[in-house]
Amino acid sequence: MTDDKDVLRDVWFGRIPTCFTLYQDEITEREAEPYYLLLPRVSYLTLVTDKVKKHFQKVMRQEDISEIWFEYEGTPLKWHYPIGLLFDLLASSSALPWNITVHFKSFPEKDLLHCPSKDVIEAHFMSCVKEADALKHKSQVINEMQKKDHKQLWMGLQNDRFDQFWAINRKLMEYPAEENGFRYIPFRIYQTTTERPFIQKLFRPVSTDGQLHTLGDLLKEVCPSAVAPEGS
């Protein structure tokens, strides 16, 4: 996988044109113009929206500003979901730009986690990386890395630096040739139609008879409703 650099770059540099609009009930001293931004699909909303926050705070009084949060058509946007995932779940069939509403009050405590700093985002991201490596390598790769490697991985994501990020991440994507793959494939299938937000199970990359599994094999096993019957 680490040799497919063109594909990795295409995924990394995927962008979603987005229009941010201040919620109509927010108190402003003058009209708040919309703010347009190309959002990176692989990042997090609270990581890449500092400019959005500053843009709207210019027309607001300090006492009217509390923790920023975002909403799309009435649904609060979870900051700990990657941006591309949020778009695919909620807005993939809508016209671009993606229209996101910005709020500075009435934080939806029941729907969202608080995000007081970028340190919280970093902790969440590294927790996901460690969970994935536990499935792939019994945590051997991530545990053998130095703290500076962990920081480089995070800073590559935070600063949108492809080469900086993949210089470390490629180590997490490798495995000995004789093992023919990871122990298990780390994956989550997110859903909008049920109360269960995502499906996550143990799934090996190779079958018991040595055949490499495909994405179709994974879907048939863990989410058969997503696969059209053969011949249909």
Side-chain angles (χ1 to χ4, degrees), residues 40-59:
R41 289 182 59 91
V42 299
S43 192
Y44 299 94
L45 269 176
T46 43
L47 195 60
V48 295
T49 48
D50 284 349
K51 291 180 179 178
V52 176
K53 187 176 182 178
K54 292 175 182 176
H55 170 77
F56 290 116
Q57 286 181 345
K58 288 178 183 177
V59 301

Side-chain angles (χ1 to χ4, degrees), residues 78-195:
K78 300 180 187 299
W79 65 261
H80 59 290
Y81 280 18
I83 292 169
L85 170 61
L86 287 170
F87 178 79
D88 292 344
L89 280 175
L90 303 172
S92 58
S93 60
S94 63
L96 294 173
W98 186 16
N99 291 297
I100 291 179
T101 303
V102 181
H103 296 259
F104 285 98
K105 59 185 179 183
S106 302
F107 190 90
E109 303 278 351
K110 293 182 179 180
D111 298 305
L112 298 181
L113 300 172
H114 285 282
C115 185
S117 70
K118 290 182 178 177
D119 290 342
V120 177
I121 313 172
E122 179 181 1
H124 166 72
F125 170 73
M126 290 308 303
S127 175
C128 293
V129 171
K130 291 174 181 178
E131 180 184 353
D133 197 56
L135 292 169
K136 290 186 290 187
H137 306 112
K138 296 183 181 179
S139 299
Q140 291 175 352
V141 176
I142 194 74
N143 288 341
E144 288 174 0
M145 288 182 179
Q146 298 180 26
K147 192 171 183 179
K148 66 180 180 65
D149 296 325
H150 293 184
K151 183 59 69 172
Q152 179 176 331
L153 189 70
W154 164 247
M155 294 303 293
L157 179 73
Q158 176 177 294
N159 299 324
D160 195 23
R161 304 294 189 202
F162 174 84
D163 291 328
Q164 181 182 9
F165 179 87
W166 270 98
I168 302 301
N169 195 54
R170 65 176 179 79
K171 301 175 184 177
L172 295 162
M173 299 303 296
E174 294 172 346
Y175 53 81
E178 65 272 13
E179 293 184 9
N180 206 22
F182 301 132
R183 291 176 61 245
Y184 297 102
I185 301 294
F187 75 92
R188 284 179 181 170
I189 299 176
Y190 286 83
Q191 309 174 101
T192 58
T193 55
T194 69
E195 294 181 0

